[in-house]
Amino acid sequence: MSKFRLPKATFNQLRTFESVARLGSITQAARELHLTQPTVTVQIQELQNALATALIEPAGRGIRITEAGRRLQQAATDIFGLWRHCEDDLHALRGLERGLLRIAGVTTTEYFIAHWLQRFAQRHPGIEVDLSVDNRDRIIQRLQDERCDLAVMMMPPPTLELDTLDCLDNPLVVIGPTGHPWAGRRKVPVKALNGVPWLTREPGSGTRLAVEQHLSHLGVQPQERMTLGSNEALKHAVAAGMGLAALSRHALNRDPAQEGLAVLPVTGFPVRRQWKLVWRRDRRLALPAQAFIDEARQILSELAA
């Protein structure tokens, strides 16, 4: 009679190693797992001893994952994926009374996604929601690493097999401080942006990518003056008169003047883009994620009515 060979590694050791391998840092893994650095180091060492294999090695001031470590990282990812699917099946037997929805959104979606999640949580009070808000590049990385089931973004990557659901229009407008000379005009030619001090979001931002592509297509090149890491920081800098910028209209107050801002009538703007709910086509979708997609479709149907 065949018997299962029990693994030499514990679940916690695998979880700790997966975090170290993915983040490339013991310090960052400790922060993510809410553990001390010595605890993380001990768990990795115990795992290496159990497997009689080096999984990480020093590299300058950091670490490098060995080939054996890369293979274990993939195995750990597969194991955790199977475990999530098993949990989903068990939750399904109880009628979606429990479970975890892992959803990520690019920074601008924080202005609407919380309302959708609130409605979902009211209908499914037993579902825990894990929401991550970050720039486009990091959201794509989460999809690649299977650290989220769903994502909301403006420009899905062509490198992943994704199913998509169109959500909301996301018009990108040019903003300046209140009192800007262009604010009182009916129309400003887009060529006027050439050489104008220009404030942008950080590399990896979907808004930045969309605006850069649009301006390049129009043959316009403002003078990039400053890069900022959030919509709020960008708005404050524009209001202070440090330059102009392009931002989602949803990121602005209904009356932008209350934030010290004005939407400028530049031709070629707003840039018409759309947020999309996306998920991996090549992966099994968790039950809570399926339920949220159904909820999103219902919300969009109501908005269109």
Side-chain angles (χ1 to χ4, degrees):
M1 180 177 177
S2 63
K3 296 170 62 178
F4 286 112
R5 186 173 65 180
L6 294 177
K8 297 179 180 180
T10 68
F11 196 87
N12 283 337
Q13 288 171 348
L14 283 177
R15 183 187 66 164
T16 299
F17 173 73
E18 188 279 332
S19 182
V20 170
R22 171 168 41 82
L23 298 173
S25 166
I26 289 177
T27 301
Q28 292 184 36
R31 187 178 300 117
E32 179 181 80
L33 298 172
H34 305 290
L35 299 173
T36 64
Q37 290 186 44
T39 298
V40 170
T41 300
V42 167
Q43 289 194 10
I44 297 298
Q45 187 59 56
E46 290 177 345
L47 182 58
Q48 292 184 130
N49 291 341
L51 298 175
T53 304
L55 303 173
I56 64 174
E57 57 189 19
R61 295 185 178 181
I63 61 170
R64 186 182 72 84
I65 309 302
T66 66
E67 178 59 29
R70 291 296 178 197
R71 297 191 181 192
L72 182 62
Q73 180 185 11
Q74 184 59 57
T77 300
D78 294 342
I79 289 169
F80 297 149
L82 287 171
W83 181 256
R84 283 196 305 272
H85 295 328
C86 179
E87 287 184 320
D88 290 339
D89 290 340
L90 295 176
H91 295 152
L93 293 175
R94 296 194 295 269
L96 199 62
E97 294 177 0
R98 295 181 59 190
L100 173 65
L101 171 64
R102 302 180 306 158
I103 185 168
V106 294
T107 49
T108 312
T109 63
E110 62 188 342
Y111 298 99
F112 77 89
I113 197 171
H115 298 292
W116 290 25
L117 288 171
Q118 180 186 29
R119 171 167 161 166
F120 177 80
Q122 288 174 343
R123 294 197 177 190
H124 305 285
I127 301 297
E128 179 185 352
V129 177
D130 178 9
L131 171 63
S132 301
V133 177
D134 216 323
N135 71 23
R136 176 178 177 271
D137 278 1
R138 294 194 181 98
I139 297 302
I140 291 173
Q141 191 63 53
R142 283 184 172 272
L143 282 168
Q144 289 176 333
D145 296 341
E146 299 183 56
R147 289 184 286 136
C148 66
D149 302 305
L150 304 173
V152 185
M153 62 177 58
M154 187 168 54
M155 303 172 69
T159 54
L160 290 176
E161 294 185 33
L162 298 173
D163 282 322
T164 66
L165 174 66
D166 291 343
C167 291
L168 295 174
D169 290 335
N170 182 29
L172 307 177
V173 298
V174 177
I175 59 173
T178 54
H180 191 278
W182 293 356
R185 294 170 59 176
R186 292 184 58 188
K187 185 181 295 185
V188 177
V190 70
K191 296 292 185 181
L193 291 176
N194 278 318
V196 167
W198 191 250
L199 311 181
T200 69
R201 286 289 308 275
E202 77 286 357
S205 160
T207 298
R208 172 173 175 151
L209 179 60
V211 172
E212 285 180 344
Q213 289 179 351
H214 184 65
L215 292 178
S216 176
H217 176 73
L218 296 175
V220 175
Q221 187 172 5
Q223 178 188 356
E224 186 173 326
R225 185 174 187 179
M226 183 181 296
T227 298
L228 298 108
S230 72
N231 292 331
E232 294 304 310
L234 192 66
K235 291 192 292 183
H236 286 305
V238 171
M242 301 184 70
L244 306 185
L247 199 61
S248 169
R249 183 61 182 85
H250 291 284
L252 305 175
N253 195 290
R254 186 181 298 272
D255 178 9
Q258 294 183 4
E259 299 179 284
L261 300 170
V263 175
L264 304 180
V266 177
T267 59
F269 287 85
V271 180
R272 299 295 178 181
R273 292 292 186 270
Q274 194 167 54
W275 281 307
K276 300 176 183 293
L277 181 65
V278 306
W279 58 95
R280 294 275 296 267
R281 184 183 305 156
D282 58 343
R283 296 292 185 269
R284 177 181 172 185
L285 202 59
L287 195 64
Q290 293 175 343
F292 184 81
I293 293 171
D294 293 339
E295 185 74 31
R297 288 196 172 105
Q298 179 63 33
I299 292 173
L300 292 171
S301 176
E302 293 171 5
L303 291 174

